[in-house]
Amino acid sequence: MSSNTSAAADANGSQLKSILKKPKVRGVTIDRMGVQKPYFTSIEQQPITREHKPYSPKPSDTLLDAGTARATLAVSNESPNGTTDGDYAAKNQHRTVVQQHVTYWDRDHDNVIWPGDTYVGCRDYGWGIALSIVAALFINIGLSYPTAPGILPDPFFRIYVQNLYKAKHGSDSMTYDNQGRFRPQQFEDIFAKYDRGQKGGLDAGDVWIFWKEQRMVFDLFGWTACALEWIATYLLIWPDDGIMKKEDVRGIYDGSIFYKRAEETKAKRSKLALQSSTSPGLVARVKKLL
């Protein structure tokens, strides 16, 4: 052990002893320096722990019990009550968050999602024909067998919403737990650790670092699934400034953003149709430019 490492270790030990002698204060910032709790979230001897610090609650934070998984609410420090627009959270208290994630595609609410349902849903929120076909194939083929009610695969590649928790894979953020609940701490950690510059979201470079560091050994399926999920997330959000905002990503988890994007696409198509009926020449020129 080098003299510098030994000195740092002694300093950590001295600081820890000092902390243990102090009264505990609820709600203070958990950080490397000046904490009131008997542990550290980073140490100098392991630089990566200083580069990617986990979410630590502040006295002003509105998110309570970040370490407790929510069965029906996808919450964040910005949205401690989940998605309240249109009473979305209130209307989905009979579904786990992972089930809410896919309810958008279950148009007839029979808890079964056919490949055709996935295709139509993708088209409705603005994806083209080719991309929607590819998405339907990947999504239904990937999720059908894990959610199938028996031991035999479903010949039509249907997804069974009731069993969606069984389709959880590794090498991701672990924001869903193994029963389909939403884990606020893990969600907040994504942005606390990988939002370089504290810009309120993730750009492609942030996601690349996140993906590399979340990979588990020999988990090829998880690596691939995680990469495809974040590519799909970027294509859906398609941020003008290249930054996927935190609340938009949260909307992916509870599925609320799919409805939002579908409504926006519907409004755009209606506007375009109206313009086409009044000025077909102008619309033709706009389409040509696009």
Side-chain angles (χ1 to χ4, degrees), residues 54-225:
Y55 166 71
S56 301
K58 300 177 177 64
S60 59
D61 285 359
T62 58
L63 177 61
L64 299 177
D65 303 323
T68 301
R70 269 63 160 183
T72 61
L73 294 175
V75 299
S76 68
N77 195 39
E78 293 75 15
S79 298
N81 298 312
T83 302
T84 56
D85 291 347
D87 291 329
Y88 184 84
K91 293 175 181 177
N92 283 281
Q93 290 302 292
H94 60 295
R95 300 185 179 96
T96 63
V97 177
V98 78
Q99 289 175 323
Q100 294 174 35
H101 174 65
V102 301
T103 300
Y104 165 78
W105 286 280
D106 183 17
R107 301 303 177 89
D108 54 4
H109 305 294
D110 63 350
N111 286 326
V112 177
I113 301 173
W114 291 69
D117 295 329
T118 308
Y119 170 80
V120 172
C122 292
R123 291 286 291 142
D124 282 353
Y125 61 61
W127 283 5
I129 294 175
L131 183 57
S132 297
I133 291 175
V134 171
L137 290 174
F138 271 97
I139 292 171
N140 281 75
I141 290 175
L143 298 181
S144 179
Y145 184 64
T147 63
I151 61 173
L152 296 177
D154 186 276
F156 301 106
F157 297 108
R158 290 170 292 191
I159 298 170
Y160 293 84
V161 178
Q162 189 68 23
N163 298 327
L164 193 64
Y165 66 93
K166 295 181 179 181
K168 178 176 168 56
H169 59 79
S171 299
D172 64 358
S173 68
M174 303 300 167
T175 297
Y176 296 125
D177 73 5
N178 285 13
Q179 291 75 42
R181 304 182 192 91
F182 182 89
R183 305 165 80 183
Q185 178 70 50
Q186 280 68 20
F187 176 74
E188 293 288 343
D189 280 349
I190 300 172
F191 299 89
K193 292 182 178 182
Y194 301 105
D195 176 9
R196 297 171 299 172
Q198 302 299 306
K199 52 192 175 295
L202 305 177
D203 59 26
D206 297 331
V207 174
W208 172 251
I209 296 171
F210 162 85
W211 178 77
K212 288 196 301 180
E213 295 194 355
Q214 292 298 120
R215 291 178 299 175
M216 296 179 177
V217 65
F218 301 130
D219 182 21
L220 183 59
F221 179 85
W223 303 350
T224 305

Side-chain angles (χ1 to χ4, degrees), residues 35-61:
V35 299
Q36 298 292 328
K37 297 193 177 184
Y39 52 81
F40 303 124
T41 59
S42 62
I43 56 175
E44 294 178 3
Q45 298 93 326
Q46 193 67 7
I48 194 168
T49 64
R50 296 180 63 80
E51 294 172 14
H52 303 298
K53 295 181 181 180
Y55 166 71
S56 301
K58 300 177 177 64
S60 59
D61 285 359

